[in-house]
Amino acid sequence: MNGKLFNVLVLSLFTAISMKAQNYKLVWSDDFNANTLGKNWNVETVASPYNHELEYYTPRQENVTVKDGNLILTARREHYGDKAFTSGRVNSRQKVYFAHGMIEARIKLPRLSNGLWPAFWMMGEDDDVHSWPACGEIDIIEMGEHGGISYGQSDRWVGGTIHWGEDAQHHQQWSDQGQHAYDYTLAGDDQYHIYTMTWDDTYIRMYIDHSNKPYFTAAINKRIDSRITSDIYMHKPFYILFDLAVGGDFTGILSPEGITALADEGSEAKMYIDYVRVYQEKGQENLVCPDRH
């Protein structure tokens, strides 16, 4: 049997077993076999991103496109506005959002060293009423963190984080960043990996390739410190985001000269999202999307 097919069958069987155990059912998916930009996804234009990032997010096809069954985000070294780089970022705000269940995305990442910062994450749908971090933030997968760079392990350094708090002055977070044995940007068919988050009344957990060991676990039903709890921020609808940032606080690289991943003018790096899927428990479906009312 073809090795790739065997791996797909094993992962599919594992997913089916896991979902059966949790009583999950598929409530929404985007396999990017059609262009769903504008329908499921808002393509962002951001001239000055937060976190001292170095890119200009544009809606151009050069930075965001759907092709060959993938959503493709492309970071480029090019002068655009007052930035030395461009890239792509999409979100499902006011289009696709939900509370609790399981979300997974199959993603192929570019080589990250040094300075690329890909992310698959979520924000509270009420961010028009409650500004960050009161809206809540869940970072399902981030790579390129400065700790990994310092160890020469950018492509093995994986992390997840939740953010919350009544305002920026009272920002709290729970994060786990660490080195993994596997290089998640290997070339070839093995470069695609499935990043999964399970989210219920009690815990948020994150996994890679349906491992039975989460790389991130946070209790969201109890007081984490003596002053602020995470529970009131993590049990409401969130929307989905994907982006490929260049530089910024997370990477510890704040000038274009430090971005070796895009060394030459015109050089590119691409993040491919093959699919994103949302599962919820039977009887608890609350996902909102264009095809579901």
Side-chain angles (χ1 to χ4, degrees):
M1 180 183 290
N2 178 277
K4 181 180 178 182
L5 177 59
F6 177 77
N7 288 335
V8 170
L9 291 173
V10 169
L11 291 176
S12 298
L13 177 61
F14 186 93
T15 303
I17 292 171
S18 299
M19 287 191 297
K20 184 177 180 180
Q22 296 293 327
N23 202 29
Y24 283 136
K25 74 170 189 177
L26 181 67
V27 294
W28 178 81
S29 66
D30 194 337
D31 294 334
F32 300 108
N33 293 323
N35 188 345
T36 54
L37 300 177
K39 178 186 177 184
N40 293 337
W41 306 98
N42 305 300
V43 182
E44 297 192 29
T45 301
V46 186
S48 298
Y50 291 110
N51 308 307
H52 303 105
E53 297 166 31
L54 302 176
E55 78 286 342
Y56 194 125
Y57 286 123
T58 90
R60 304 176 306 162
Q61 289 190 356
E62 291 93 329
N63 298 115
V64 182
T65 190
V66 174
K67 184 178 180 181
D68 299 329
N70 287 267
L71 166 65
I72 306 172
L73 306 181
T74 302
R76 309 180 77 230
R77 183 182 282 265
E78 61 175 331
H79 290 285
Y80 194 94
D82 63 350
K83 300 293 185 182
F85 304 91
T86 61
S87 194
R89 173 164 146 171
V90 301
N91 71 69
S92 68
R93 185 176 181 273
Q94 297 185 346
K95 297 183 183 298
V96 180
Y97 50 93
F98 67 99
H100 295 174
M102 180 172 75
I103 181 171
E104 64 180 20
R106 186 171 184 262
I107 302 172
K108 180 166 69 171
L109 297 172
R111 286 290 186 184
L112 306 179
S113 299
N114 280 340
L116 295 183
W117 173 13
F120 164 33
W121 53 300
M122 302 183 73
M123 288 273 284
E125 180 66 21
D126 60 353
D127 62 356
D128 59 336
V129 176
H130 301 289
S131 60
W132 186 92
C135 61
E137 177 180 335
I138 304 172
D139 302 323
I140 301 171
I141 176 70
E142 292 183 287
M143 293 183 66
E145 198 257 351
H146 57 84
I149 292 174
S150 65
Y151 284 105
Q153 297 291 339
S154 296
D155 300 321
R156 300 173 186 266
W157 200 268
V158 179
T161 305
I162 60 172
H163 300 265
W164 73 94
E166 54 195 295
D167 53 42
Q169 286 186 320
H170 298 96
H171 167 234
Q172 299 284 290
Q173 70 180 58
W174 187 270
S175 183
D176 190 355
Q177 306 282 338
Q179 180 179 332
H180 290 240
Y182 193 82
D183 182 338
Y184 289 101
T185 66
L186 283 173
D189 292 339
D190 290 340
Q191 195 174 358
Y192 278 99
H193 296 280
I194 299 171
Y195 302 93
T196 303
M197 178 184 75
T198 60
W199 173 23
D200 58 29
D201 291 332
T202 307
Y203 288 100
I204 287 175
R205 295 185 174 97
M206 303 172 188
Y207 305 83
I208 301 176
D209 291 335
H210 299 140
S211 166
N212 60 6
K213 182 180 179 181
Y215 62 88
F216 174 91
T217 301
I220 54 173
N221 68 334
K222 65 181 182 181
R223 187 174 293 274
I224 290 180
D225 65 24
S226 61
R227 184 163 49 90
I228 299 176
T229 62
S230 65
D231 56 349
I232 63 173
Y233 303 97
M234 295 296 156
H235 299 291
K236 58 184 180 179
F238 278 61
Y239 63 87
I240 310 161
L241 301 97
F242 294 98
D243 68 65
L244 179 56
V246 182
D249 297 334
F250 187 78
T251 68
I253 300 174
L254 304 180
S255 66
E257 294 74 21
I259 307 299
T260 59
L262 298 171
D264 303 315
E265 189 71 14
S267 57
E268 297 182 341
K270 297 179 183 292
M271 176 180 177
Y272 296 82
I273 299 95
D274 179 34
Y275 63 71
V276 54
R277 297 172 182 169
V278 177
Y279 304 83
Q280 293 189 299
E281 292 196 41
K282 294 179 181 178
Q284 297 185 22
E285 302 95 331
N286 59 33
L287 180 134
V288 175
C289 70
D291 300 321
R292 182 188 179 96
H293 303 283

